[in-house]
Structures are given as C-alpha cells and as structure tokens.
Amino acid sequence: MSLTHEIELGTTSLTLESLSSVLRRAASTDQQQIQAGTKQLSDWERQPGYYSSLQSIFIDHSRLLEVRYLAAIQIKNGIDKYWRKTAANAIGKEEKALIRSRCLKAGINEADHRLALQNAVFVAKIVRYEFPSDWPDAISSIINHLRVTAREDAGSVHLSRALLIVLYIVKELSTARLQRSRVALQKAAPDMLQVLGALYISKVNSWTGLVKNGGDIESGAINDIDLSLLTLRILRRLLISGFEHPNRHSDIQELWTILRDNFGTILALAGQHGHRLSARIPIEKHLIQMSKLHLEMVRAHPAAFPQLPDSIEIAKAYWGLLVEFGQTFGAQSTTAPIGTDGDAGDDIPCIEKLSLKGLLILRACVKMVYNPMQTFKFQHAEDKAEQKESKESMKTKMLSESMIREMMEMLVTMFFVFRPKDLKEWEEEPSEWERREEGEGEAWEFSIRICAEKLFLDLVINNKDLLIQPLLQVFYNVANPQNGDVLLKDSIYGAIGLAAPVLDQQLDFDPFLSSTLVTEVQISQPGYSILRRRIAIMLGQWTLVKNINRSLVYQIFQHILNRDDKINDLVVRVTAGRQLKNVIDNWDVQIEQFLPHAAGILGQLIPLIEEVDLPETKLALLTTLNSMIVRMEHHVTPYADGIISLLPPLWDKAGDEYLMKQAILGILSGLVSSMRADSQRFHAIILPLIESSIRPDSETRQYLLEDALDLWSSIVAQSTQVSPELLSLAQYLFALYELASDSLRKALEITEQYILLAPQAMLEQTVKFTAAFADLVSFTHKGDTNGVAMHLVETLVQLAYNLGGASAVERVAELADESNFLPQVFLGLRSAHDSHQTTGPNRIHTEVDGIVETDYWSVLARILYASPPGFASTVSASTEQPFDQAIGWILTEWFSHCENIGGTDRKKLMCLALTKLLELGPQDLILGRLQDFMSLWSDTVAECMEYREGEGSEGRDCLVYGDPDALKPEDGMEVPEEERKRNLLFSDPVHKVNIKHYIRDHLQRIVVACGGEGAFQQEWLANVDQDVVEGFGSLGIV
C-alpha cells in the first residue's frame, strides 16, 4: 500500500496536492488563511503517510520556497512529537524507513541554505533516535557522502551541505542525555576524525597559501574559508564529545599540533587583512572557533589538556595576548570620550573576544590545579596518574609563583580599570550601565573586567601567602587622599574589596576607613563619582566579613545618597542603595547604631526608588528598603507614612510586572511585622491589595498568592481587633482549601489566626468551616493537612467552651455533624477499630493510625470534657447508632489508643475527657471498663505528677501553669497573636486542672452514686485485676 494514498478526513483528503494547497494557505500572509491551514495540518498530523508526504513536497524543487520551508518545519516538529516508538500516534515503521532513505540525499542536493539547514536539523533528530539501533549505517553513509563530495568541483554546494548535516548530527549526539547516544558517537568518532581532519587540512592549507602568496581572497579563497570553518566547527564538538581521553589518540595529537600552528598563522593573517571586511570576518571566526576548542577542552577534559602537544604553551600564549590587549584596555582619564572612541563596543574586535576566551581558559587552568572536578565515575590507576601528572605539570610550568604574581598585577592594573566606553555609557545611559555592572549568574563570562575579577579572586584565595603582602603593599602606596589617580585607586580598591574574605585578618580596616575613606568621599572634584561608587561597593563587601565601624559607614552612605551633591550621580546613588543591603542585613548589626542615621538614609532612599525607571533597579532598592524595615523592627514606625506613600503608586505603575508587586507585598509584610499593632492604621491601604491578589477570579492570583498570604497572615497576627474589612477577607479562605500546595497550609494557618482573633465570628460559620475540613480529613488526605484541620476544629470547640460553656460546645457539635465532619471522624475511627481487631494477611487496612488517630480523639475529647450528655448525643447522631451500642467499640479503641500516645499533654486531655464519662452515672457500659480507667489514671498521674522534697506526698501537676502575665515580654513589645495564643493555652483544662485532684473528685462521686465504698467494691472493683488496683492505690489518689 502506498504511503501517499488518500486518507479521508472530513471533507478533505490527504494527497500531495491537497497538502501542498494547505501548506500554501498556512504560509500566506492572510490571518484567516493561516488559521484554516494550520488547523487542517494539525488534524492531519496524526494520520499515517502525513510526514512522508511532507517530505515528498520538501524534496520537490518545483514547489514554492515558502511551501517547502513550512513542510520542513512540520517534519521537524513531528519528529519531536511522534518519532518515538512509545509516543501516541507514533509514525509507522514503514513511513520512518521511507523518510530515512531520502533525507540525506535531499539535504546534500538542496541549493537553498535555509532549507538545507532545516533538513540537517531533522536528520540529526532522527539520528539521535535511531542510531545505531534502527539506522546503523547513518554515520557511515554521511561519511561516504563526504568522501565523494570532497572530490567534486569547488563550485558545488554538495560538500557544504554534507558538512552541515554532519555538524547537526554531532551536535545532537553530543548533547544527548542517554549514554547510548554518547557511546555511539564515540564509536564513530575515529572514522569521522580521519575524514574531517584531512578535509580541514586540505581546505585551510589551500586558502592560507593563497593569502600568503597575495592571491585574491574574494575570488579564490572564500569558498575554502567557509568550508574549513564549517569543518572546524564539527571538529571542535567531535574532539570534546567523541573521545573519553582525547590525549591518548595520535590522530588528535597530530591535529592539535596543526591547529596550534594554524592559530598563529591565521592570527597574523587577520591582522594583515583587517581592512578587508569580507575576508576578515570569516578568518576571525576560525580564531574564535579554535579558542572555543581550547576552552572546552580544558573544561571538559582538564586531565587531557596538559597532555596534548604544547597545550601549556597555548595557555601562555593567551596570557601574552591578554598582556598585549591590556595595554590599550583601560581609560587614561576619568572624562568620558567624545565621538566614536566611546562606541567601540558596538563591534567587538576579535582581539577582545580572544582575550576574553584567554581569561576563561586561565581560570579553568587555575580550577584544574586548585579545585579539580570531582566525579563518582570509576577511575583506573592510569586515569589517576594522568590527573596527578597534568595537575603538577600545569602548576609547575604554567602557574609558577612568578607567573601568579605577574597575573595578579596585570589583572588589577590593566583589567580592573574602566574602559572609555564604560565612562561614556555611564554618562549617557547610567541606569542601563549600572544594571549591567550588577549582573549576576553567568554574565561574567561575557565581560572582560568581571571575568578578570573572578580570576583574580581565584588566584588570591588559593595563593594567600604569596599574594597578600604584594597586594597590601600596592594598596598602602595608593590609599591616601593626596593621590588623585582615581582610576588606579578604583582598581586597587576593587581588588581589596574582592579579597575581603582573605584580607580580613591581615588588614586593619577601621583606620583606613576613618583616615582615608571618610576624607576621600567628601572630595568633590571631577571624576570622584567613580571613587564614591567604589567606596560603596567596598564597604558592602567588607561589612559582610568583618565588624567595622558601622557608625562611620552609615555616615558615608548617608553622604553619597544625597542627591543635592552633584558628584552623587544616579550610578553612585543606586550603587549605594544596592550595597546598603549588605551593610544593614548582617548578623552582627546593632540597630542602635543605625537609628541616628535612619531618617537621613530613608529620606534619600525613598525618593531614589521613585527616581529610577528600570524595574530591576527598583526591585533591588525595594529589597534594600525591606531589609531596613525588618532590621529596624518597631523603630520604623515614625517613618512608616513615608514608606507607605511610596507603595500604592508603584503598585499601579507595575502593571504586569509581578516581581515588582511581590516585592511590594514583601515590604508591606515586613512593615506590618515591625510595627505590630500600630500597623492597623494602614489596613485601608493594604487590605484591598490583599483582596486583589487572592480572589479566585483574579488574574494576578497565580503570581502573587504566596506573597499575599504572607502579608495577610502578618495583618491578622498583628491586629488587636477585627474590622469588617478584615473579616470580609475570610470568605476567600474556602477557595484556598481546594489548593493542593503550600498555599493550603498557609490558608489553614490564617484560619487559625482568625479563630483566635474573632472566635465569635468564626463560630458563626462553623458549618462552612467544618464542611470544608471534612474533605481535608478524608482518607485521601494525609499528614500535615489532616492534622492542621483537626487542630482547627479542636480550637473552635475549645473557644466555644470558653465563650459559651457546655451549650455552645453542644451547638458546635450539632453543626459539625450536619456538615458531615464528625461522621467522617467516626467513620475513620471505626476503620481503625476494625483494623486493630484483625490480624494476619487478612487484616483490614486503615488510613487512621498513629498521630492521625490522636488528632481525631482530641476533637472528641474536647466535646466530651465540655458536655458528657452532648457527647452522647453526638455519638448517636454521627454514628447513626444508639449511644449504648456505639460506645462499646469507641471505648475499646479509645483506651487502646491511649496506651500509644507519646505526648503527656495529649494523654492528659484524653484522661480528663474519659473520666468525664463517670458523670453519666453508674452505667454498666462505663463502669464495666473500670480496669481500663484505672490503668489510664495510673499512667497519666505517673507522667504528670512530680514530687519534690518538702512538698509532701501530694506532689504537683507539672502541666498546670501559673499566671499567664508572668510570661509577657518585659519590654511590652509582644505580637498581639502571641498574647491570644498564651491566653488560650492557659485556659486549657490540661494546664488548669490538677489531674490527681480531678480523678479523686470524680471517683468519690461515682462511689457515692453506687451506694458507698462497699457496694462499689463488691459490684465493680472486684472485677479489676489486683495488680492494677494496687498500682492505682500506690499513687495516693484515694
């Protein structure tokens, strides 16, 4: 059956012509045509024969270019989605074979580079999936094509197209995660290396010879230059990913030597033909590719790099290149250049790109020696010996003491200095320039100065004894106010700041701070803005590692944040604002030292936040402001109005900048926590922001919910009373209970805060809360969520008892039964009982066990303690059984579980509640369990009571607390919620009732109810084991 047969699909069948027509529609400029065509293609993509038909159109050169290009895109996307055998609607085996059989030839014969590129991409994807299992000759086939096309006429595109396919195949296999793909590449790599290496040598010799002899590059060498560059790109990846130990292959050593020689030759040619753009760019690309090869080799194969011919000499050559480049790197004056000199960065010179690669290579060499890469992979003795030899070779031949000193000196004096274009950008685009300078992550790999700083720090950290004294000597020579060389000072101070973790014990910073920096920061001469910026950075670095004179530091920051001083331009003030976070957000900060300067610094920082335009910069300054708020705690109150006035306009301007809104919510949360109850005057501003972030229909909820919940929690915790506006937010809690994430836990935490703040209002919504909690305590929820939900209901019951006594608890129990919460609890406990009554392989499984069961019993214990008759009614209603029938299995499971409760407070709660059952009178169902009661009493009293000399034999209940006011903080600065929690804790019968007296009182009353001691002993006590009776009697309760 033909794979291009017609397949009926609605009213449109899949044929080559119909497919070509749909592709034309999808490639048109009319939006309706595009939508219709795209939909039809989407409908067809799961049909057999679709992708082979696309390929038929792609290889038909008579078709429109746009149609063929779109067909290639569809094939590429389809391979990602449907080529895997396990994919739904996977491409069939027969169709795959047809596509494979045509893709190599189609790519080699393709004249258009864009189409050839797309073909190469999807061929590489197929090879990644199929080689070597289903397409074992994929690599050998393309290598054969290379051999054939290499002999063709120079004007043919076949060779470049074959190389393009090889390039993408090597790319795909080298980045594959599966070990199978990497192993397959390594097996094919030697054959590929021979063909590609010979081709590269042939082409590069051809065009370099022509250039050396004065030939016309444009007419005779451009094609060879392009082919040698393409081959070099393949070789770079093949040498890195295709060989486990590149240094052990003679072919690689030979090629490495050739590449080393070519590097010098091509570098000279690039200088000679720099004025001829058409030749210079492809020639320079060869140098960049070689430098990438050197860098990737030392990073991926650090042990192999020094073993390759003259590799250490190559590293030294890069250093020589750096020294040469450094002569013209830095600015000679603090004045920004005028004209084109400051715009040199628009077209980065090749020498700068190579110098950057040189810095990265040198840093990798330093890492290889001092911080070698660790691996869990098994290493043979040969591998270990090779690593040791390479490390020693690099250390002795490259990183000698004299070389390390020279590197440190050159890095600081040449590459730490600002460039002319830096000064120009500082002046023309201060915000953008400052943001780039503060870039984090991998940005350092693209900046010479930042990369030089990283290399400097690596050298200093690993060569402290060698470099500290020379560095300090240079510092002492430069660090005086009379030295007006601002650029040199900036670079030296930059080095001292970077090396702060190493110099903290060697440099007495306080004298330098008081005698030099305080003076220099007040100099108002042109160019000193550079020094003020550096001083801010250096202080931020040193305060992280050493306790220096903070009072002077705060004075300096207050001075350089002053907008009225013309030297304090935007870059200086923003840098100071950023660095202030490091100064203030430190473990050893004494806030009393900061308070005298708080008004001045906040008065400058808040307008600065309003002044800057870049969102990233605003975020950084807001982070600093938040750190100050958190550190100042309640001392921030006098400045709160100014801070609050800043935030609503920022919120409105933020729009879809959700990171900005998150920062604003974070600041508000910190402000509320710091101001405590005083923050209630800002509720009118804050509560609408919370509401807009937590509403279920809010577009911002998915971005701001976490931060809004933190702020909401802080608001409730710090409130002394609940306003109607704050109470109205509670309605959004129910939607949050449906979230299965950390937000659910935070919502439950806020629920508890509301229960403590406004118990009456929360009790009025008992049905809604317990109905929501019924789902959370179902068998599908486990762990924290289940336990927190049970704790919340327990708290509701406890507060109901405190507010309204037994009748209030009975009403709560009725509502919890109506909402199906208590029936769910009893259902879980019954499953626990049935499980514990069975054993062996047929034992009934239960989800309610351990601490989960303790949580269940705790809720029932609160109800029982408040009202035994109400508990009896609750049992009957929730179990749908008469009380005298249900109480049997309930007490069996309850008493059994009490033996396994680890927490003394929980066990005492159970004991208090179960003892309350005696108030129901001398019933067989209750007193028939007298042995269980006496065992529980004995265990609980033994755990709760402690006896001290001089206090008699009665002892004291260690869980009974004294005066709650005694635990109030002496300074009176207490979070309102903490007071509410403390009051609830001290009102708990567990901490109010003496367990020994409580048991004695109830036991005496039940004895009287039974007709006296004689009747009680004869009818009930006689059924208790003598050991249990003696153990109970020894406690002295009766």
Side-chain angles (χ1 to χ4, degrees):
M1 180 180 68
S2 172
L3 287 170
T4 57
H5 68 286
E6 293 191 5
I7 301 170
E8 292 298 324
L9 183 67
T11 59
T12 306
S13 57
L14 175 61
T15 65
L16 287 180
E17 292 310 315
S18 64
L19 180 57
S20 178
S21 175
V22 172
L23 286 170
R24 281 196 302 272
R25 295 170 66 186
S28 71
T29 56
D30 181 82
Q31 195 61 35
Q32 291 184 344
Q33 294 282 342
I34 293 173
Q35 291 179 356
T38 303
K39 183 179 184 305
Q40 182 62 73
L41 292 175
S42 178
D43 292 340
W44 274 337
E45 68 180 11
R46 291 178 292 276
Q47 299 303 313
Y50 172 65
Y51 290 102
S52 58
S53 297
L54 283 172
Q55 190 187 35
S56 297
I57 290 176
F58 172 72
I59 63 179
D60 185 352
H61 291 203
S62 65
R63 306 278 182 178
L64 290 174
L65 180 66
E66 293 79 6
V67 171
R68 297 177 62 210
Y69 188 83
L70 184 56
I73 295 294
Q74 291 291 313
I75 296 171
K76 182 179 68 175
N77 294 339
I79 290 171
D80 288 332
K81 294 170 66 175
Y82 302 115
W83 197 274
R84 291 184 181 88
K85 297 176 182 178
T86 56
N89 303 299
I91 299 172
K93 188 175 181 180
E94 183 182 354
E95 187 174 4
K96 285 181 180 180
L98 179 60
I99 293 172
R100 285 198 306 264
S101 68
R102 300 187 295 186
C103 61
L104 292 181
K105 185 177 179 180
I108 292 171
N109 292 327
E110 181 55 59
D112 188 89
H113 178 74
R114 292 171 298 172
L115 296 178
L117 178 62
Q118 294 301 323
N119 184 84
V121 170
F122 70 68
V123 168
K125 290 179 179 294
I126 294 173
V127 171
R128 183 170 181 170
Y129 290 129
E130 305 261 301
F131 178 75
S133 55
D134 296 314
W135 195 5
D137 61 340
I139 301 293
S140 59
S141 296
I142 191 61
I143 292 298
N144 288 333
H145 280 295
L146 276 179
R147 289 192 176 101
V148 172
T149 55
R151 296 191 293 268
E152 293 182 357
D153 181 73
S156 172
V157 299
H158 293 165
L159 178 57
S160 63
R161 299 298 182 252
L163 286 171
L164 189 65
I165 294 173
V166 175
L167 173 62
Y168 279 90
I169 288 175
V170 173
K171 270 187 176 182
E172 279 289 333
L173 294 181
S174 62
T175 57
R177 294 182 179 180
L178 294 178
Q179 182 69 15
R180 171 179 61 83
S181 298
R182 292 196 292 270
V183 170
L185 175 62
Q186 290 174 1
K187 288 182 179 178
D191 291 338
M192 297 175 70
L193 178 62
Q194 287 187 352
V195 176
L196 292 167
L199 180 61
Y200 168 75
I201 294 169
S202 170
K203 296 301 178 182
V204 80
N205 286 342
S206 172
W207 69 261
T208 54
L210 181 63
V211 173
K212 286 179 182 179
N213 295 325
D216 187 353
I217 295 179
E218 278 74 7
S219 63
I222 289 297
N223 188 55
D224 284 344
I225 292 176
D226 291 339
L227 289 173
S228 64
L229 178 61
L230 187 54
T231 308
L232 183 57
R233 292 174 62 191
I234 303 171
L235 287 170
R236 174 169 68 84
R237 292 171 172 83
L238 189 64
L239 293 181
I240 300 302
S241 303
F243 299 89
E244 190 74 22
H245 302 282
N247 58 302
R248 300 179 189 175
H249 295 263
S250 58
D251 289 343
I252 294 181
Q253 292 188 354
E254 181 181 352
L255 180 61
W256 188 265
T257 302
I258 293 171
L259 289 171
R260 178 206 63 194
D261 296 336
N262 285 345
F263 187 82
T265 302
I266 296 174
L267 183 60
L269 292 176
Q272 295 170 13
H273 295 272
H275 60 286
R276 301 165 68 180
L277 183 63
S278 60
R280 176 172 60 84
I281 291 178
I283 289 176
E284 288 178 350
K285 284 183 178 179
H286 281 73
L287 296 172
I288 301 302
Q289 287 297 318
M290 291 181 193
S291 65
K292 287 183 177 180
L293 172 61
H294 297 150
L295 176 59
E296 291 168 7
M297 183 63 74
V298 73
R299 282 180 168 177
H301 301 285
F305 180 77
Q307 303 287 330
L308 290 168
D310 295 325
S311 289
I312 294 179
E313 294 304 317
I314 291 175
K316 288 183 177 180
Y318 276 107
W319 176 246
L321 194 66
L322 276 163
V323 172
E324 178 184 348
F325 176 66
Q327 303 297 330
T328 57
F329 179 81
Q332 302 300 314
S333 132
T334 58
T335 305
I338 300 174
T340 59
D341 290 343
D343 301 323
D346 296 341
D347 182 18
I348 300 176
C350 180
I351 183 67
E352 181 175 339
K353 296 178 182 178
L354 294 177
S355 297
L356 179 57
K357 289 292 186 293
L359 283 170
L360 295 171
I361 289 169
L362 291 172
R363 191 166 189 234
C365 291
V366 172
K367 180 181 179 182
M368 178 179 67
V369 172
Y370 297 108
N371 303 103
M373 181 173 55
Q374 304 298 320
T375 179
F376 292 104
K377 187 177 180 180
F378 174 76
Q379 291 182 309
H380 296 281
E382 180 185 3
D383 299 335
K384 295 180 180 179
E386 189 176 88
Q387 287 180 355
K388 184 177 180 181
E389 181 184 351
S390 295
K391 179 178 176 180
E392 289 301 317
S393 177
M394 182 63 71
K395 189 172 184 179
T396 56
K397 297 179 182 179
M398 177 67 195
L399 298 175
S400 62
E401 291 187 1
S402 60
M403 183 64 172
I404 289 174
R405 287 196 197 95
E406 179 187 347
M407 289 173 68
M408 184 201 72
E409 180 182 348
M410 293 296 106
L411 289 172
V412 174
T413 58
M414 289 184 175
F415 297 108
F416 282 19
V417 181
F418 282 122
R419 307 178 68 177
K421 74 168 189 174
D422 291 318
L423 299 176
K424 187 175 180 65
E425 290 174 359
W426 179 330
E427 184 176 298
E428 296 180 350
E429 299 178 348
S431 298
E432 286 288 350
W433 183 85
E434 190 278 336
R435 180 186 62 81
R436 286 198 302 271
E437 287 297 304
E438 291 294 329
E440 298 178 355
E442 297 301 316
W444 63 271
E445 293 197 3
F446 305 99
S447 167
I448 288 227
R449 189 168 68 256
I450 300 176
C451 187
E453 291 175 353
K454 297 283 186 181
L455 177 56
F456 164 81
L457 193 55
D458 289 343
L459 292 172
V460 172
I461 288 174
N462 294 293
N463 298 275
K464 299 177 185 177
D465 297 337
L466 181 63
L467 298 181
I468 285 179
Q469 290 309 315
L471 178 60
L472 288 177
Q473 187 60 47
V474 175
F475 168 69
Y476 292 139
N477 291 336
V478 170
N480 65 78
Q482 289 72 38
N483 188 335
D485 191 341
V486 172
L487 292 176
L488 179 61
K489 272 190 177 181
D490 179 75
S491 61
I492 300 299
Y493 286 4
I496 294 298
L498 288 170
V502 178
L503 298 175
D504 61 319
Q505 300 301 318
Q506 306 292 329
L507 174 61
D508 190 354
F509 197 83
D510 278 341
F512 167 62
L513 173 64
S514 58
S515 64
T516 303
L517 293 186
V518 170
T519 303
E520 290 181 335
V521 83
Q522 298 179 69
I523 299 175
S524 297
Q525 297 177 8
Y528 268 78
S529 56
I530 295 174
L531 201 56
R532 291 191 183 185
R533 171 185 176 273
R534 178 57 59 190
I535 289 172
I537 295 173
M538 184 164 58
L539 291 176
Q541 292 166 327
W542 272 86
T543 51
L544 291 175
V545 299
K546 193 168 187 176
N547 187 11
I548 60 179
N549 190 332
R550 293 300 175 92
S551 181
L552 280 180
V553 172
Y554 298 139
Q555 290 181 49
I556 290 175
F557 272 92
Q558 186 174 346
H559 178 72
I560 59 181
L561 281 168
N562 182 12
R563 185 179 182 180
D564 296 332
D565 189 332
K566 63 180 182 179
I567 301 297
N568 297 332
D569 60 17
L570 186 63
V571 171
V572 172
R573 289 181 287 120
V574 170
T575 302
R578 287 182 187 269
Q579 295 301 322
L580 189 58
K581 180 183 185 301
N582 293 335
V583 175
I584 197 72
D585 194 10
N586 211 325
W587 64 272
D588 61 346
V589 167
Q590 297 178 5
I591 199 61
E592 293 77 12
Q593 295 177 339
F594 176 73
L595 292 178
H597 312 281
I601 290 177
L602 282 170
Q604 301 291 349
L605 183 62
I606 292 174
L608 179 60
I609 295 173
E610 295 175 316
E611 180 182 352
V612 297
D613 295 324
L614 292 179
E616 298 92 333
T617 307
K618 280 186 183 290
L619 279 174
L621 297 178
L622 286 172
T623 302
T624 298
L625 178 61
N626 192 29
S627 297
M628 294 174 64
I629 292 170
V630 172
R631 282 293 181 180
M632 291 175 70
E633 296 182 332
H634 63 281
H635 298 293
V636 78
T637 302
Y639 315 104
D641 290 313
I643 296 172
I644 285 291
S645 65
L646 166 72
L647 301 179
L650 282 180
W651 181 277
D652 294 336
K653 291 179 183 178
D656 293 337
E657 293 283 346
Y658 297 116
L659 288 176
M660 180 71 70
K661 291 186 173 182
Q662 289 173 358
I664 293 171
L665 293 175
I667 288 176
L668 289 172
S669 183
L671 195 62
V672 169
S673 298
S674 296
M675 294 180 65
R676 298 188 172 91
D678 290 339
S679 65
Q680 293 178 101
R681 57 193 172 100
F682 298 125
H683 282 192
I685 297 174
I686 299 175
L687 295 183
L689 300 183
I690 296 176
E691 183 177 13
S692 68
S693 304
I694 63 173
R695 288 198 318 267
D697 60 345
S698 172
E699 295 179 358
T700 63
R701 174 172 156 171
Q702 61 177 319
Y703 306 105
L704 303 179
L705 181 59
E706 183 178 347
D707 297 278
L709 290 178
D710 289 337
L711 175 57
W712 190 7
S713 176
S714 297
I715 286 280
V716 181
Q718 304 295 347
S719 297
T720 56
Q721 57 185 4
V722 61
S723 64
E725 294 79 14
L726 181 57
L727 187 60
S728 68
L729 289 181
Q731 62 182 305
Y732 299 111
L733 288 169
F734 300 102
L736 297 176
Y737 298 152
E738 300 174 3
L739 303 178
S741 65
D742 291 338
S743 298
L744 170 59
R745 295 183 178 86
K746 195 66 179 180
L748 293 173
E749 178 185 323
I750 294 171
T751 303
E752 181 181 13
Q753 293 175 311
Y754 266 104
I755 291 172
L756 295 174
L757 176 63
Q760 189 67 49
M762 294 298 103
L763 285 168
E764 291 174 0
Q765 301 187 58
T766 297
V767 172
K768 293 182 68 177
F769 279 116
T770 53
F773 296 157
D775 294 331
L776 297 179
V777 300
S778 66
F779 297 159
T780 59
H781 285 76
K782 301 179 182 179
D784 294 345
T785 300
N786 191 314
V788 174
M790 296 303 300
H791 169 71
L792 294 179
V793 177
E794 182 185 348
T795 304
L796 277 173
V797 175
Q798 189 178 350
L799 286 169
Y801 182 67
N802 292 347
L803 293 174
S807 60
V809 173
E810 291 170 3
R811 179 56 181 160
V812 169
E814 291 175 10
L815 296 175
D817 176 66
E818 292 177 12
S819 67
N820 198 43
F821 176 81
L822 285 177
Q824 190 76 35
V825 169
F826 278 107
L827 184 64
L829 292 173
R830 184 57 192 256
S831 73
H833 169 268
D834 295 344
S835 175
H836 296 152
Q837 301 304 310
T838 55
T839 59
N842 295 324
R843 181 181 180 181
I844 299 173
H845 175 71
T846 180
E847 296 285 355
V848 180
D849 206 354
I851 193 171
V852 175
E853 186 173 356
T854 302
D855 293 334
Y856 280 33
W857 288 122
S858 296
V859 173
L860 298 180
R862 295 290 180 186
I863 298 173
L864 174 55
Y865 180 85
S867 173
F871 175 77
S873 301
T874 298
V875 169
S876 298
S878 298
T879 62
E880 297 182 349
Q881 288 182 300
F883 177 74
D884 56 354
Q885 293 182 18
I887 194 64
W889 71 262
I890 290 175
L891 290 180
T892 298
E893 181 61 23
W894 203 340
F895 278 116
S896 173
H897 183 71
C898 285
E899 297 176 2
N900 302 315
I901 295 177
T904 304
D905 57 339
R906 295 282 92 180
K907 179 172 283 190
K908 181 178 177 181
L909 174 63
M910 305 301 170
C911 182
L912 292 172
L914 287 168
T915 304
K916 274 274 186 175
L917 285 172
L918 298 179
E919 296 182 8
L920 295 176
Q923 302 181 26
D924 292 349
L925 293 172
I926 307 300
L927 290 180
R929 304 268 182 175
L930 185 58
Q931 179 163 318
D932 293 327
F933 276 105
M934 298 186 78
S935 297
L936 177 60
W937 290 337
S938 299
D939 291 344
T940 307
V941 170
E943 291 186 28
C944 292
M945 302 303 294
E946 60 181 13
Y947 303 90
R948 299 177 181 175
E949 291 186 16
E951 293 186 356
S953 60
E954 191 65 15
R956 59 182 295 273
D957 190 334
C958 64
L959 289 181
V960 175
Y961 298 160
D963 182 11
D965 293 335
L967 296 181
K968 285 186 176 181
E970 294 181 2
D971 60 1
M973 301 304 299
E974 183 179 31
V975 177
E977 185 179 79
E978 293 301 319
E979 182 178 2
R980 293 191 286 270
K981 287 182 176 180
R982 187 175 64 252
N983 292 336
L984 180 64
L985 180 69
F986 277 77
S987 69
D988 190 343
V990 172
H991 302 297
K992 287 180 64 177
V993 176
N994 184 297
I995 188 64
K996 200 169 185 180
H997 299 167
Y998 180 84
I999 295 171
R1000 178 185 295 149
D1001 178 64
H1002 280 77
L1003 188 57
Q1004 288 174 347
R1005 278 191 279 174
I1006 197 64
V1007 167
V1008 171
C1010 290
E1013 291 185 8
F1016 177 77
Q1017 183 168 358
Q1018 181 179 357
E1019 188 172 357
W1020 304 111
L1021 192 60
N1023 298 323
V1024 180
D1025 288 347
Q1026 189 62 31
D1027 291 342
V1028 175
V1029 175
E1030 292 177 357
F1032 177 73
S1034 66
L1035 298 174
I1037 296 177
V1038 293

